[in-house]
Amino acid sequence: DTGVSQDPRHKITKRGQNVTFRCDPISEHNRLYWYRQTLGQGPEFLTYFQNEAQLEKSRLLSDRFSAERPKGSFSTLEIQRTEQGDSAMYLCASSLAGTAGGFRTGELFFGEGSRLTVL
Amino acid sequence: RKEVEQDPGPFNVPEGATVAFNCTYSNSASQSFFWYRQDCRKEPKLLMSVYSSGNEDGRFTAQLNRASQYISLLIRDSKLSDSATYLCVVSLASGGSYIPTFGRGTSLIVHP
């Protein structure tokens, strides 16, 4: 399978625990995005990387959230001291920036997501 | 005001009907526009890009109106398999980067 993969697919945790999600993008893609989606809403942007550099982070992202992409390959998203409001689907997407650096040529390819339930 | 707004629906239409969705965006500096499709409990997938001159892909037609800051999606001859949520995506400029921003989606139900 050469698509975007995410792990784990499902995570149930107790409030206050830390959780980490992993995303393996399509190998030649240099951009990697994290989104969060709740029922009835569209994906909400969290952060994105171009290669190993984290270029943007949503203002909505609290300091309990941190993301890394060492060596510009896979990425991890960690949530510390989880709260019930963190329950959501966490989606990872990758794309290939166009030669002009524009977004148009970079179709987003999503993984199947990691569903988090905080009890 | 949300950056990208869509009517959540649902739009409930019979097979063969023509249905149209609109999406408005707030940032006039937006550069790129797309429609994605998301099936229930699945990840979003690109349906089509939206170009300034408008574009068509089979039964699907997308149009962009920069002056009024909205994009539209027209589906002709609806099929049962078109039932899904249609997400409007606008890339917004943020410090030189382009962030794909999603609307909340419009739900389409096509019935026999």
Side-chain angles (χ1 to χ4, degrees), chain A residues 3 11 19 23-24 31 33-35 38 52-53 59 61 66 70 77-78 80 85 88 92 98 102:
Chain A
K11 178 71 176 179
V19 297
C23 171
D24 286 272
R31 285 183 174 170
Y33 296 82
W34 284 100
Y35 286 86
T38 54
E52 67 277 6
R59 292 188 301 273
L61 212 59
S66 61
L77 176 69
E78 182 184 16
Q80 296 182 325
C92 174

Side-chain angles (χ1 to χ4, degrees), chain A residues 6-116:
Chain A
Q6 294 189 242
D7 182 71
R9 295 287 310 281
H10 303 275
K11 178 71 176 179
I12 299 173
T13 191
K14 292 182 179 179
R15 189 175 51 190
Q17 298 295 304
N18 299 343
V19 297
T20 299
F21 301 118
R22 175 180 171 125
C23 171
D24 286 272
I26 294 171
S27 58
E28 63 268 27
H29 284 183
N30 51 5
R31 285 183 174 170
L32 186 149
Y33 296 82
W34 284 100
Y35 286 86
R36 175 172 62 192
Q37 187 173 28
T38 54
L39 192 64
Q41 301 297 317
E44 174 188 31
F45 170 75
L46 295 179
T47 188
Y48 104 95
F49 295 82
Q50 180 137 338
N51 300 311
E52 67 277 6
Q54 187 174 18
L55 296 188
E56 290 294 333
K57 190 174 176 180
S58 169
R59 292 188 301 273
L60 302 174
L61 212 59
S62 78
D63 56 8
R64 297 184 296 106
F65 288 71
S66 61
E68 294 183 340
R69 193 184 181 194
K71 302 179 183 178
S73 55
F74 73 91
S75 176
T76 57
L77 176 69
E78 182 184 16
I79 309 174
Q80 296 182 325
R81 305 181 303 281
T82 53
E83 301 172 355
Q84 288 184 323
D86 296 332
S87 295
M89 176 72 83
Y90 289 84
L91 292 164
C92 174
S94 70
S95 72
L96 185 63
T99 54
F103 171 66
R104 177 173 294 282
T105 56
E107 172 187 350
L108 292 178
F109 291 84
F110 282 87
E112 293 182 298
S114 293
R115 182 172 296 282
L116 173 65

Side-chain angles (χ1 to χ4, degrees), chain B residues 47-58:
Chain B
L47 177 67
M48 61 195 302
S49 302
V50 186
Y51 301 118
S52 296
S53 55
N55 49 296
E56 188 174 307
D57 183 2

Side-chain angles (χ1 to χ4, degrees), chain B residues 25-31 66 69:
Chain B
Y25 60 94
S26 60
N27 191 327
S28 60
S30 299
Q31 295 292 318
R66 284 190 183 272
Q69 295 182 202

Side-chain angles (χ1 to χ4, degrees), chain B:
Chain B
R1 181 184 174 189
K2 287 192 173 181
E3 294 171 339
V4 180
E5 296 211 51
Q6 293 184 254
D7 179 350
F11 285 65
N12 203 320
V13 303
E15 273 186 289
T18 295
V19 62
F21 310 134
N22 283 338
C23 163
T24 59
Y25 60 94
S26 60
N27 191 327
S28 60
S30 299
Q31 295 292 318
S32 303
F33 309 88
F34 304 85
W35 285 100
Y36 277 68
R37 170 187 170 135
Q38 186 171 27
D39 293 303
C40 187
R41 296 187 175 277
K42 297 287 189 181
E43 72 275 18
K45 293 184 179 178
L46 179 66
L47 177 67
M48 61 195 302
S49 302
V50 186
Y51 301 118
S52 296
S53 55
N55 49 296
E56 188 174 307
D57 183 2
R59 298 181 293 108
F60 299 84
T61 301
Q63 292 192 314
L64 167 64
N65 185 319
R66 284 190 183 272
S68 300
Q69 295 182 202
Y70 78 83
I71 68 174
S72 63
L73 177 68
L74 182 77
I75 305 175
R76 292 181 299 278
D77 189 22
S78 298
K79 311 292 184 190
L80 294 176
S81 58
D82 293 335
S83 297
T85 296
Y86 291 84
L87 297 161
C88 170
V89 183
V90 176
S91 67
L92 300 175
S94 174
S97 301
Y98 286 93
I99 307 301
T101 299
F102 286 74
R104 66 179 295 181
T106 297
S107 176
L108 173 65
I109 301 170
V110 182
H111 59 82

